[in-house]
Each structure stands twice: as C-alpha cells, then as structure tokens.
Amino acid sequence: MSLTEKFKYISPRENAGSMASNRFDFQKNWAICKLIELTNSGVDFLLAFEYHEDIIVLDSVNNPTKIDFYQIKTKDKGTYSLSNILTKKKLKKGDGGSILGKLYQNKLNFDSETKSLNIVSNNRFSIKSIKENRLVICCKELDDKEKLEIEENLKAELSIQWLHEFLDVIFLHNSELTIEHHNEITKDKLNKLIESLYHTDVKYNPSLAYRTIFDEVNRRNNIERKINNFEELIHFKSISKDDFDRMLKIVVSEPDKLKLAKNRLFDRLDNAGVSIPLRRKLSEAWKDVQIEYLSLNNDFFNQCVNSINKVIDNNIDELYGAVWENLDKLYVLLLQQKEIQNQKIYTEYFLKMVILKELYNEE
C-alpha cells in the first residue's frame, strides 16, 4: 500500500488539548521557518498542518514515500528532561499517552515511511549524557542508561517489541525561536529569504509579506474539516514547494499593484467628498482586504468576490448616485446573497471595500 493510500485508512489521533494564542502562533511561525529552511535546501516537499502530528513534512507532493513528524512544545521556564517526554499525562479517566509515546505511534502507523520523529521545544533539553548545548540531539547518541529508559517506557506504553535502531529516527530540537520574539525572528528570516531569492533592492513591504504568509499558514492550520484522502490534504491543510514559491512571488510583486489600487480608490472617495469617519473605517478594512487578495486558494473569499461581481453586474445600470450611495445600495443587495448571509468572517466595511475595488475594476 502506498503512502497516499495509507492516509485514507489511518485516521489521525484526536487532539483535544488547548493552547494559548501565543503558543499557537509560535507553532505557526515555526512552520514558516521550516518552509524557509526547506526552500533554501532546494528539495521538493509538502508541509501539512495538524494532521497526524502538529507538523508533518512529506518528501514530495506527487509521489511521497517518506514523512518527518514534528511535535511542537513550549514552556515559559526550565528545560525538558527525558522524564518530561516519557511520563504519561494524567487524565480524569486514567492515563493518557506520553509526549514521546504519542509521537512514536506515528512510526507504528507508518513504519517504512517514517524518516524521523521530532520533538521541538523553545527551551533546551536537559540530557545528562549530552553536556554541551545542542540545537539537535539524536537519541542514538544518548548513553546506555538513557536509551534503556526510553526503551522500557515505550515498550510498556505501546506494547511493542523494541529494536535499537528505533532510536535512530528520534530527534530532540531546541528551536531558535523564543516565546517572546518568535514573530520578529520569523519575519527576519523571511526577509532574508526574499532578499536572497530576488534582487537585494527589490521593493516590498516586509510587514505585509510576513502577515500575508502568516495568515495563509494560519488559515490552513485552522481548517477543522475531516480529511478523507491525500488530495484533500494537499488542497486544504498543506503548503507545497510550488505553493510557497508562488506566495513569495506574490508578496514581492502584487503589493505595488494593490497600493496603486488603494490610492486610486481613496482618491475617488476624496473627490466625492466621503465623510472622514467612513474613510477611516474603509482605510482600516483595506489592511485585511489586501491580505485576502494576496492569499492563495482562499475558496471562501473567492466565492464572496464572485457574489460581489454578480451583484455589480446585475445592477450596473441602476448606479446613478454618488460613490457612497452606490456603495450602500450594492451592500444591501449583497446581503441578500445566501453565502453572504451565512458568513461571520468579513465585516461590513471589509465587504464595502471589496465592492469598491471590484466596482471600479482596480487591478
């Protein structure tokens, strides 16, 4: 059975744990840094979110044969010991799995396809036999006592027959990201990647580039639909090498077009004498609108844009009033569209800003 076929029959484990917003953002920033690392390496890849593990990386989007599994852990203070990752979590009804036990279950599900099992932490791992500070520790480097501790705990937890080569695929990572500054560190890494791939004098907005890619990662990470096959995993929960390359090209080239479109639209509003409060609300909404126009494969946003253009096309001959009068009229008509009525994502002024952009066909 191929790896892609296995995804149809092996369901991801339930993940009911909660995490503070900053911890989730740390994980998403780590994923962006991983995308940067993979891009710099030149290899093909497919990085998927919250599927069998926090992050998984497959070696191909077309015919994958190997997977790297990553479990991301954060804590404010202290270090992670072997005991921390081998102790089973206490639940209201019995014991849950240990950190390493849950991670190792992936090896049991995808034996020949597992390339590595990785625990990533913002703090270092305190391993007695490893004296120096290391960013990466392979468990085969541990001393015999520590190896035996891992063996005995995983044998008991998972009821498996142990092989010493199992340790060859288990890695402990001390991330360069910190809880306090993961946004800034990731933004810096992204800027360096863009400058290395394109001309050093390329004009782009670093903050907009970072926010656009972070929002795309956030959107794919947070999709909670059931994934039934590999094709759905690619479309809804993953970023491929080609996807990331397109994202980078968009954040370098498209913002100038959007800035020009914004300037033209607000010149039109100013010339029409739009009120200052309305102008400020629309200007604030534009910050989110431009992110959506820069996003890849945002099906719902594209549906909304299609609905807006349908309303405009059906009523174009009735738009005789001032800019804001036409805007209000189109907005009322848009609210009659079923997909708009049922959505709770986009605000009134977000939708009005999109209406303006589509109405005046600003590219």
Side-chain angles (χ1 to χ4, degrees):
M1 184 185 299
S2 70
L3 175 54
T4 56
E5 289 175 322
K6 280 190 175 183
F7 282 136
K8 294 180 183 178
Y9 302 106
I10 301 176
S11 299
R13 68 173 184 271
E14 293 294 327
N15 184 10
S18 62
M19 193 186 299
S21 176
N22 187 48
R23 307 304 174 103
F24 267 130
D25 287 352
F26 178 95
Q27 180 174 311
K28 293 162 190 172
N29 277 318
W30 186 89
I32 294 173
C33 291
K34 191 64 182 178
L35 289 167
I36 293 169
E37 175 190 322
L38 291 165
T39 298
N40 280 327
S41 72
V43 299
D44 193 16
F45 65 83
L46 181 74
L47 186 148
F49 307 93
E50 299 289 349
Y51 188 72
H52 287 282
E53 206 46 82
D54 292 334
I55 303 290
I56 65 172
V57 178
L58 291 83
D59 61 349
S60 172
V61 69
N62 296 315
N63 185 29
T65 59
K66 294 294 180 182
I67 318 176
D68 296 295
F69 296 90
Y70 294 90
Q71 196 170 128
I72 315 299
K73 295 296 176 186
T74 57
K75 60 180 355 183
D76 291 324
K77 297 179 181 179
T79 60
Y80 276 99
S81 65
L82 281 184
S83 178
N84 293 145
I85 65 175
L86 290 170
T87 299
K88 291 192 284 186
K89 185 177 181 179
K90 296 292 184 182
L91 303 176
K92 291 181 179 179
K93 296 182 179 180
D95 291 335
S98 67
I99 292 173
L100 189 52
K102 290 178 181 178
L103 180 64
Y104 204 84
Q105 186 64 49
N106 295 302
K107 171 70 173 170
L108 303 181
N109 291 335
F110 301 94
D111 182 18
S112 62
E113 296 88 358
T114 297
K115 182 180 178 182
S116 68
L117 302 168
N118 305 271
I119 301 175
V120 179
S121 170
N122 63 303
N123 286 338
R124 71 183 185 86
F125 288 86
S126 178
I127 307 295
K128 292 180 180 179
S129 63
I130 306 295
K131 302 301 181 183
E132 70 273 23
N133 288 334
R134 302 256 297 274
L135 291 179
V136 183
I137 299 170
C138 180
C139 285
K140 71 178 181 180
E141 302 174 76
L142 307 186
D143 66 24
D144 290 341
K145 183 179 179 181
E146 292 162 340
K147 290 177 181 178
L148 184 61
E149 183 180 357
I150 294 175
E151 175 183 344
E152 290 179 344
N153 277 273
L154 291 186
K155 282 168 62 177
E157 179 178 343
L158 301 174
S159 301
I160 58 174
Q161 183 176 355
W162 186 257
L163 297 175
H164 290 294
E165 55 263 32
F166 288 170
L167 293 169
D168 296 353
V169 298
I170 303 175
F171 295 85
L172 311 176
H173 299 254
N174 179 196
S175 174
E176 296 176 281
L177 301 185
T178 67
I179 287 294
E180 299 82 5
H181 302 294
H182 52 85
N183 291 329
E184 295 85 349
I185 295 170
T186 304
K187 186 188 295 186
D188 182 61
K189 287 179 176 287
L190 180 62
N191 291 340
K192 288 177 179 177
L193 174 67
I194 291 173
E195 289 171 1
S196 70
L197 293 177
Y198 301 93
H199 298 297
T200 54
D201 60 346
V202 66
K203 293 182 179 180
Y204 73 101
N205 184 325
S207 295
L208 178 59
Y210 166 71
R211 187 182 169 196
T212 300
I213 290 177
F214 182 89
D215 281 9
E216 186 70 16
V217 167
N218 184 61
R219 184 176 65 82
R220 300 193 190 205
N221 183 91
N222 292 350
I223 289 176
E224 294 186 354
R225 64 174 289 155
K226 182 180 179 182
I227 301 300
N228 296 302
N229 52 55
F230 187 60
E231 288 71 27
E232 289 186 358
L233 178 65
I234 293 174
H235 185 74
F236 294 109
K237 298 282 288 181
S238 304
I239 294 177
S240 69
K241 182 180 186 299
D242 287 345
D243 287 337
F244 195 56
D245 287 344
R246 284 198 298 274
M247 288 181 201
L248 294 172
K249 290 176 182 176
I250 286 172
V251 299
V252 168
S253 62
E254 292 300 315
D256 282 345
K257 297 178 183 178
L258 287 170
K259 184 177 180 180
L260 180 61
K262 177 191 175 184
N263 291 340
R264 288 173 175 169
L265 288 171
F266 280 91
D267 283 347
R268 190 183 293 271
L269 291 171
D270 293 338
N271 291 334
V274 68
S275 68
I276 291 176
L278 176 57
R279 191 188 194 284
R280 292 187 67 177
K281 289 175 181 177
L282 291 172
S283 181
E284 187 65 25
W286 177 262
K287 296 176 184 178
D288 294 321
V289 168
Q290 65 181 345
I291 296 294
E292 295 294 353
Y293 274 106
L294 290 172
S295 297
L296 289 178
N297 303 325
N298 190 336
D299 294 339
F300 183 70
F301 176 69
N302 292 334
Q303 289 173 17
C304 289
V305 172
N306 289 338
S307 295
I308 287 169
N309 279 307
K310 179 180 176 183
V311 169
I312 291 172
D313 291 342
N314 291 342
N315 296 277
I316 193 69
D317 294 333
E318 307 299 323
L319 302 178
Y320 302 118
V323 173
W324 63 87
E325 293 173 344
N326 292 334
L327 179 59
D328 286 339
K329 181 176 183 178
L330 290 170
Y331 180 69
V332 170
L333 292 169
L334 180 65
L335 293 182
Q336 298 172 15
Q337 303 296 306
K338 185 176 180 180
E339 56 269 30
I340 302 298
Q341 292 174 353
N342 295 334
Q343 70 89 26
K344 296 181 180 180
I345 300 174
Y346 302 133
T347 66
E348 173 186 346
Y349 293 99
F350 177 99
L351 292 171
K352 284 184 173 180
M353 198 66 248
V354 178
I355 290 172
L356 283 171
K357 182 179 182 303
E358 297 301 319
L359 175 61
Y360 294 107
N361 196 26
E362 291 289 0
E363 297 296 337

